[in-house]
Amino acid sequence: MSRNQVKLLAIIAMTIDHAALVFVAPESLLYYAMRLVGRLTAPIMAFMLVEGFHYTRSRPKYLLRLLAFALISQPFYFRMVFGRAPETALEYFTNWNVMFSLAVALLSLIIIMGSSLPLMPRMMLLAGCISLAQFGDWSYLIPVWAIIFYVFRESPKKQVVAFAVTSIVMETIIFLPQYESFGAFSFGTI
């Protein structure tokens, strides 16, 4: 598939996912099917972010564009996901949309690849940066996926294996504790 076809696939999957959130009754089979299709979006976005990181002429401008779009879309994201206005500023600023997660991922790549700092300070800065992802949609997954996609960029087979293993382990660690049972975790119900 070409880059544009991959982007189109992500847009279609995201639209289906968001349509389920807004228009379909939760806990219906259609809702789960549409949300499942939507799960394609975040990994594709992380992958395309890495491609953008590789080819962009200005990584700082790329980061600023992501942050600008994240700020513009935040009120709409909050309203769509929570169905209401935020009750506090803390609630608003600790529930970031996916564009913030992508910005954290991009900043992580900049720290890894573009920094002239020695290894230990760079790794500490990277850990601090990735810790910000806990406030974003998809949590730590997007920056970790982006790092995997970048590190294994020249080896698609290693990319797939690292992506799959990391996804299974991290999703279980991050999301399973939020649910009453494994069944509820598997189908996204609380």
Side-chain angles (χ1 to χ4, degrees), residues 5-43:
Q5 289 171 325
V6 172
K7 289 177 190 177
L8 182 60
L9 176 64
I11 290 168
I12 292 168
M14 182 175 56
T15 302
I16 291 168
D17 182 74
H18 289 71
L21 274 174
V22 176
F23 300 113
V24 180
E27 302 192 26
S28 69
L29 184 59
L30 179 60
Y31 177 83
Y32 290 123
M34 291 173 74
R35 297 299 310 269
L36 183 63
V37 169
R39 297 298 167 251
L40 294 171
T41 307

Side-chain angles (χ1 to χ4, degrees), residues 63-113:
L63 180 61
L64 287 175
R65 285 191 306 270
L66 276 175
L67 288 171
F69 192 70
L71 288 169
I72 291 166
S73 59
Q74 181 63 14
F76 303 102
Y77 165 80
F78 195 95
R79 179 76 178 148
M80 182 189 67
V81 170
F82 296 101
R84 59 177 173 77
E87 294 173 9
T88 65
L90 181 64
E91 179 185 43
Y92 185 72
F93 291 110
T94 56
N95 289 288
W96 295 344
N97 65 66
V98 73
M99 297 307 292
F100 282 111
S101 300
L102 290 166
V104 167
L106 182 61
L107 187 56
S108 298
L109 293 174
I110 290 169
I111 290 168
I112 291 171
M113 304 310 297

Side-chain angles (χ1 to χ4, degrees), residues 104-155:
V104 167
L106 182 61
L107 187 56
S108 298
L109 293 174
I110 290 169
I111 290 168
I112 291 171
M113 304 310 297
S115 176
S116 59
L117 290 172
L119 182 62
M120 281 309 292
R122 195 170 12 153
M123 291 300 109
M124 290 171 51
L125 191 58
L126 177 64
C129 180
I130 290 177
S131 73
L132 292 173
Q134 68 185 305
F135 302 115
D137 197 12
W138 288 87
S139 190
Y140 303 105
L141 287 168
I142 288 183
V144 170
W145 285 338
I147 291 167
I148 287 169
F149 291 145
Y150 190 80
V151 168
F152 297 112
R153 192 168 181 276
E154 301 301 322
S155 178

